[in-house]
């Protein structure tokens, strides 16, 4: 009877690839391994920071000299007035301006200063409710003077690391563009899901952008807020630049764990936006396989290994090791040469499982052969030899 060897073949050809694909789509070991490998491989896709991006940092020195945060809005107004003669190409004021100041004249001065520059403002995310569409806009006078508004939400994966964002996000019918896409100059993609695919009140995220990073904290040119406020930064350094005004001091503003921050704590949100704008402007985004291509990547790897095992049954361990190394090498080459992410965890774990199944199948076949020989010998008449 060859029932067990037949079952082994069916397991290896059909059930094993299906099981690996099923596990890869669920939180667990496969996704954790892929995330860890991705964070290390992403360094292969690092790029030079764009010279036209300059961060004006609310750093520790600025806090010491200007006082505790938040500062009066007249301080931001004075900064914009100082920057206006240098004619920067865009300014992100990464401050939420949703509440009025105690003195309305402060808001009026800041709004007038914004009129001198192409200023972009972020929307404040709030939990969707009957009174809120999920994003709270700045005060009307700021909306009127701003060049553009957009969300600034970053996507956190299950392990708390930010590797991507969405160029459109919000409740159905009220999707907001990513503010960095407006500053990058290309705008946000205009395509949207069909109306039938948008449940009423559903929170939608469209057009994912997987970021590549220029490097660790401090990779982009940075000047202190107080230095820019006092006119200590040369106009040539500001002219034509995309200026990002935001917090970098520890404990202030959003501090995000990113692949590039591994071993160095977290990355300030304003630096993440600098990387995102750079990615959009220069096409540094990391491409991700579609579900069909990913399935083919996993299944064909296993089928090729199985074919080699059938052809070279006595070299199963060598074949498995070489296939594992080949899967990793292809994944590394795709990231380094084309910024394309080929997750290797599922093929590698599938190859290891295939080796175990093949070893069981091979031993079963050998036992079957020995049983046949033993039965043949047992049927020989006594004294025949």
């Amino acid at each position: 009877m060859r029932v067990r060897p037949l079952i082994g073949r069916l397991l290896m050809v059909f059930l094993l690839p299906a099981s690996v694909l099923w596990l890869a789509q669920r939180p667990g070991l496969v996704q954790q391994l892929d995330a860890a490998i991705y964070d290390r491989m992403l360094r292969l896709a690092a790029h030079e920071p764009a010279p036209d991006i300059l961060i004006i940092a609310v750093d520790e020195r600025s806090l010491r000299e200007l006082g505790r945060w938040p500062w009066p809005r007249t301080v931001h107004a004075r900064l914009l007035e100082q920057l206006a003669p240098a004619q920067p190409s865009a300014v992100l004021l990464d401050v939420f301006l949703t509440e009025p100041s105690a003195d309305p004249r402060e808001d009026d001065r800041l709004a007038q200063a914004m009129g001198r520059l192409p200023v972009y403002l972020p929307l404040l995310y709030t939990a969707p409710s009957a009174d809120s569409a999920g994003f709270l806009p700045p005060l009307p006078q700021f909306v009127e003077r701003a060049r553009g508004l957009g969300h600034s939400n970053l996507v956190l994966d299950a392990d708390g690391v930010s590797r991507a964002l969405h160029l459109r996000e919000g409740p159905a019918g009220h999707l907001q563009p990513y503010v960095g896409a407006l500053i990058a100059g290309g705008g946000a993609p205009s395509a949207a899901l069909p109306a039938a695919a948008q449940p009423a009140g559903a929170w939608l995220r469209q057009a994912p952008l997987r970021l590549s990073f220029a490097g660790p904290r401090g990779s982009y040119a940075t000047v202190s807020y107080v230095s820019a406020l006092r006119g200590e930064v040369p106009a040539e350094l500001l002219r034509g630049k995309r200026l990002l005004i935001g917090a970098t001091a520890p404990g202030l503003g959003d501090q995000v764990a990113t692949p590039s921050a591994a071993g160095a704590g977290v990355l300030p949100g304003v630096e993440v936006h600098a990387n995102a704008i750079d990615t959009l402007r220069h096409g540094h985004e990391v491409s991700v396989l579609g579900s069909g291509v990913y399935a083919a990547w996993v299944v064909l790897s296993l089928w090729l290994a199985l074919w080699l095992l059938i052809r070279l049954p006595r070299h199963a361990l060598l074949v498995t090791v070489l296939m594992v190394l080949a899967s990793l090498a292809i994944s590394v080459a795709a990231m380094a040469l084309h910024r394309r992410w080929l997750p290797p965890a599922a093929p590698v774990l599938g190859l290891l499982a295939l080796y175990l199944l093949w070893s069981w199948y091979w031993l079963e076949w050998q036992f079957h052969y020995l049983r046949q020989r033993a039965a043949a010998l047992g049927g020989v008449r006594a004294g025949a030899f």
Side-chain angles (χ1 to χ4, degrees):
M1 295 292 291
R2 299 180 60 84
V3 175
R4 289 187 177 181
L6 177 60
I7 293 175
R9 291 180 182 180
L10 293 176
L11 286 174
M12 289 183 283
V13 173
F14 298 108
L15 186 57
L16 177 60
S19 300
V20 171
L21 288 174
W22 182 82
L23 288 174
Q25 301 304 316
R26 280 149 181 78
L29 178 62
V30 175
Q31 292 188 4
Q32 291 174 5
L33 285 175
D34 276 332
I37 296 171
Y38 176 85
D39 290 349
R40 285 156 180 78
M41 284 191 183
L42 193 60
R43 300 170 188 174
L44 301 175
H47 54 84
E48 291 294 325
D52 63 341
I53 295 177
L54 178 67
I55 295 175
I56 299 179
V58 181
D59 54 8
E60 293 176 295
R61 177 196 165 198
S62 299
L63 293 175
R64 285 196 307 268
E65 299 190 18
L66 297 178
R68 296 180 59 183
W69 186 267
W71 298 326
R73 288 177 181 165
T74 51
V75 176
H76 300 309
R78 287 164 47 204
L79 175 64
L80 296 181
E81 292 166 355
Q82 184 68 42
L83 298 175
Q87 298 180 341
S89 63
V91 177
L92 170 63
L93 183 58
D94 194 12
V95 178
F96 296 116
L97 304 174
T98 57
E99 298 292 335
S101 301
D103 186 350
R105 291 174 297 181
E106 294 184 3
D107 294 339
D108 293 338
R109 181 174 176 182
L110 178 57
Q112 293 176 2
M114 287 172 54
R116 303 180 182 183
L117 293 162
V119 176
Y120 296 82
L121 298 176
L123 299 168
L124 176 62
Y125 171 76
T126 60
S129 65
D131 300 326
S132 170
F135 288 113
L136 192 61
L139 297 175
Q141 62 262 48
F142 300 136
V143 173
E144 181 182 353
R145 297 297 181 94
R147 179 66 59 89
L149 305 174
H151 81 83
S152 59
N153 288 359
L154 303 174
V155 178
L156 296 181
D157 292 340
D159 57 0
V161 177
S162 178
R163 300 178 178 90
L165 53 82
H166 290 84
L167 299 182
R168 288 189 306 273
E169 183 173 341
H174 299 86
L175 294 178
Q176 299 295 333
Y178 169 55
V179 67
L182 304 178
I183 295 173
S190 57
L193 292 175
Q198 298 179 355
W203 189 269
L204 302 179
R205 286 175 167 175
Q206 297 181 356
L209 176 71
R210 189 169 283 260
L211 303 175
S212 63
F213 292 85
R217 187 185 187 115
S219 295
Y220 286 88
T222 304
V223 297
S224 178
Y225 187 107
V226 69
S227 295
L229 179 65
R230 295 172 178 172
E232 299 171 356
V233 180
E236 293 75 17
L237 188 62
L238 304 171
R239 185 166 292 111
K241 300 290 182 65
R242 287 169 171 79
L243 307 180
L244 311 184
I245 305 171
T248 63
L252 184 64
D254 50 342
Q255 306 283 328
V256 185
T258 64
S260 65
V266 293
L267 203 64
V270 68
E271 291 197 32
V272 179
H273 294 310
N275 281 281
I277 294 169
D278 197 355
T279 295
L280 286 167
R281 278 185 50 76
H282 300 99
H284 296 316
E285 66 271 15
V286 177
S287 301
V288 181
L289 297 180
S291 57
V293 180
Y294 177 71
W297 157 246
V298 175
V299 173
L300 292 179
S301 298
L302 296 178
W303 284 357
L304 176 59
L306 180 59
W307 179 78
L308 292 173
L309 290 174
I310 294 173
R311 296 295 299 270
L312 304 168
R314 299 181 184 276
H315 304 283
L317 181 59
L318 178 61
V319 168
T320 302
V321 171
L322 292 178
M323 284 297 300
V324 167
L325 294 177
S327 298
L328 293 174
I330 292 172
S331 184
V332 168
M335 178 65 78
L337 300 178
H338 303 288
R339 288 195 177 90
R340 186 174 293 276
W341 171 230
L342 297 178
V348 168
L349 294 178
L351 288 168
L352 297 178
L354 177 62
Y355 173 73
L356 296 177
L357 283 173
W358 177 262
S359 299
W360 168 77
Y361 171 80
W362 182 247
L363 289 174
E364 184 67 21
W365 184 87
Q366 289 180 321
F367 286 143
H368 177 74
Y369 175 79
L370 292 175
R371 285 193 296 267
Q372 284 184 326
R373 295 300 91 197
L377 290 173
V380 175
R381 183 171 50 86
F385 297 105

